[in-house]
Amino acid sequence: MLVPARGVRLLTGALIVACVLLVGHNARSGAPSARSLPVEAVRDVVPNRVMTWNICNPCEESNADRAAEIATYAPQVIGLQEACVRDVERIRDYLESRHGLVYHVEYGTVLRNWGRCGGALWSPGAYGQAILSAAPMSDPVTVEYPDGGSEDRGYMAVTTTVGGRQLRVFNTHLAERRQEAVRAGQTDVLAAAVARHRRAVVLGDFNAVPDAPELAGMWELATDADPRCRPSLNGDCKTTTDWQSKFDYIFLRGVVSLKHGVHPTPHSDHDLVHADLDTT
């Protein structure tokens, strides 16, 4: 049956009006759009919380899963080690798009390595440390240790806001295990930089247990965020790695820890370590 042209026009107009009304109803009722954040979005950070995490590279882990782990604890500042710039960029994107957490970033690149970070053979990806901060950062520095051991290593530092106060935040990754003498030299370099600040937070994977002699320089300047963890044999330190060693630290200088936590994760061979600080 043929429909007269006037009828076709009336039917088309009615359909358009119905679509407009339906869209308007969804917008008013809060129906999700393509740009909506998911229900589980965090949307805010804990302003006095800092975290350190060696994210393990190359480990072929999902950056979406890494972002979800970070969002679970929503730190104000996080120091990442074994961090490829490309991975950190994606983690940042997921933190914002899926969890409503917006971070600034500074990188402490110490080498370019295709095996760890991919990229073109003639332009491999950047690798090292990174600091994410919900507040802007200033005065960033990256220092390579004179002797990196079996792989280039270094530290980075920024000034940013934690708990409403400006702090100097360091992030480092010391030489691999069985390189005690190399780590001792690296700790000397790091400790000299930390000592110039009355108040500082030092995050990182030190690849050494608390009573290792090479960490003596740090213990002279700072305490661990876990008040029970000390370099003495009677210290009670939670392990932070899959091989049941404490290698990951939040050293505090002129700052007090209110609460700390060690959180095992399937997405790295290192646990997430966080601390809530009293910066007054």
Side-chain angles (χ1 to χ4, degrees), residues 26-164:
N26 285 344
R28 288 190 301 272
S29 64
S33 69
R35 296 179 58 82
S36 295
L37 291 170
V39 175
E40 68 272 15
V42 177
R43 298 181 182 274
D44 205 357
V45 298
V46 181
N48 65 332
R49 179 169 294 170
V50 298
M51 178 183 288
T52 184
W53 191 20
N54 182 320
I55 59 176
C56 186
N57 266 312
C59 292
E60 299 182 358
E61 293 292 339
S62 162
N63 287 314
D65 290 339
R66 288 165 166 166
E69 290 275 19
I70 293 171
T72 299
Y73 307 101
Q76 172 82 0
V77 174
I78 180 167
L80 300 177
Q81 303 88 42
E82 294 195 17
C84 296
V85 168
R86 182 180 305 168
D87 288 330
V88 175
E89 289 174 345
R90 291 171 180 165
I91 290 169
R92 260 184 97 207
D93 287 344
Y94 284 126
L95 283 166
E96 182 171 1
S97 64
R98 295 191 176 185
H99 306 284
L101 296 172
V102 179
Y103 286 96
H104 304 268
V105 64
E106 292 288 348
Y107 295 100
T109 295
V110 293
L111 73 148
R112 294 185 174 272
N113 189 296
W114 182 86
R116 284 191 179 272
C117 297
L121 290 174
W122 56 90
S123 182
Y127 172 86
Q129 286 75 248
I131 293 178
L132 304 178
S133 175
M137 292 175 277
S138 62
D139 303 318
V141 299
T142 298
V143 176
E144 287 192 40
Y145 294 125
D147 183 358
S150 56
E151 181 180 79
D152 292 350
R153 296 290 165 92
Y155 75 83
M156 63 180 298
V158 301
T159 298
T160 191
T161 303
V162 180

Side-chain angles (χ1 to χ4, degrees), residues 193-216:
V194 174
R196 292 195 286 269
H197 301 273
R198 186 174 63 86
R199 297 155 53 85
V201 176
V202 186
L203 311 170
D205 173 5
F206 284 74
N207 268 317
V209 295
D211 61 347
E214 62 265 32
L215 294 190

